[in-house]
Amino acid sequence: MNNMKADRVPVVSYSVQEMYSLDSIEGTYEAVGGPMKFCQLMQFLEVMHPMFGYTKGGFVVPLLQVLGRSIILFCMIDAEPRMHTKPVIFYLFLIWSIVEFVRNIPYFEETQRFTVSLPNSWNFAFHCPTAMRIYLLILFFPGCRPLLQGVTLPINCTAGDKEIQSLSLSQVY
């Protein structure tokens, strides 16, 4: 039994290392660039809904957010093929996704969407906002450690080398 557990540990640690390897980070745009562009275009609905009266609130703040992200995605990243393999694309998409995830927790709290309350025929309860918070606490924050180690490793390696310090950022990446 102990041997079986010992065999599984390296597989788990290997998969975490593989997930945050430089190859997977450099292939981010190729893997999810299309769906991310589609989602960004769909965010323009967030601007139009207050204009047509479907939701309450103003349209100026969503317009600024959507325009800012669209300019970055379509004008700066999509238009420049050299940017497609840069590690910053991975971190940018990750931060954008996390912001949307956290931003929507109050929506799920208010509407009780995807929440199953007791009593019911299955005698089962599920609270979606709590599950989202647990996900952030247990899966996301511990997952930040390998990401931050990947960021600090090049900084630590280049801090003492004057030749590398003189290179521009585009030459390093």
Side-chain angles (χ1 to χ4, degrees):
M1 192 73 161
N2 289 339
N3 291 339
M4 186 188 303
K5 288 181 182 178
D7 291 342
R8 290 183 185 175
V9 172
V11 173
V12 171
S13 64
Y14 174 75
S15 64
V16 170
Q17 290 172 352
E18 184 66 28
M19 183 172 34
Y20 296 117
S21 71
L22 190 58
D23 294 336
S24 65
I25 289 175
E26 288 177 353
T28 299
Y29 189 81
E30 182 180 334
V32 297
M36 195 61 117
K37 290 189 285 188
F38 175 74
C39 290
Q40 185 59 39
L41 288 174
M42 296 306 294
Q43 276 196 321
F44 279 101
L45 291 174
E46 190 176 340
V47 177
M48 292 189 282
H49 285 169
M51 292 170 62
F52 298 139
Y54 296 140
T55 60
K56 295 179 183 177
F59 70 93
V60 176
V61 174
L63 178 68
L64 293 174
Q65 179 185 12
V66 171
L67 278 179
R69 286 186 179 185
S70 296
I71 289 170
I72 291 171
L73 183 59
F74 294 110
C75 298
M76 298 175 81
I77 296 172
D78 193 44
E80 180 56 52
R82 294 179 296 175
M83 286 296 295
H84 296 180
T85 59
K86 302 292 184 190
V88 72
I89 303 301
F90 171 80
Y91 297 109
L92 180 69
F93 285 178
L94 179 70
I95 295 299
W96 280 355
S97 301
I98 292 167
V99 165
E100 291 302 317
F101 186 84
V102 171
R103 191 173 70 103
N104 286 314
I105 289 177
Y107 167 76
F108 287 107
E109 185 77 51
E110 178 184 330
T111 62
Q112 296 298 310
R113 188 156 207 136
F114 305 115
T115 297
V116 178
S117 301
L118 286 175
N120 58 39
S121 60
W122 297 313
N123 199 21
F124 172 79
F126 177 77
H127 191 242
C128 185
T130 302
M132 294 170 82
R133 289 182 186 111
I134 290 171
Y135 170 79
L136 284 174
L137 182 65
I138 294 176
L139 297 176
F140 171 70
F141 292 126
C144 285
R145 184 169 185 243
L147 287 175
L148 294 176
Q149 284 177 339
V151 171
T152 58
L153 181 63
I155 294 170
N156 291 338
C157 291
T158 61
D161 194 351
K162 294 187 189 274
E163 181 179 320
I164 294 177
Q165 284 180 351
S166 66
L167 295 174
S168 69
L169 188 59
S170 63
Q171 292 171 326
V172 172
Y173 289 109

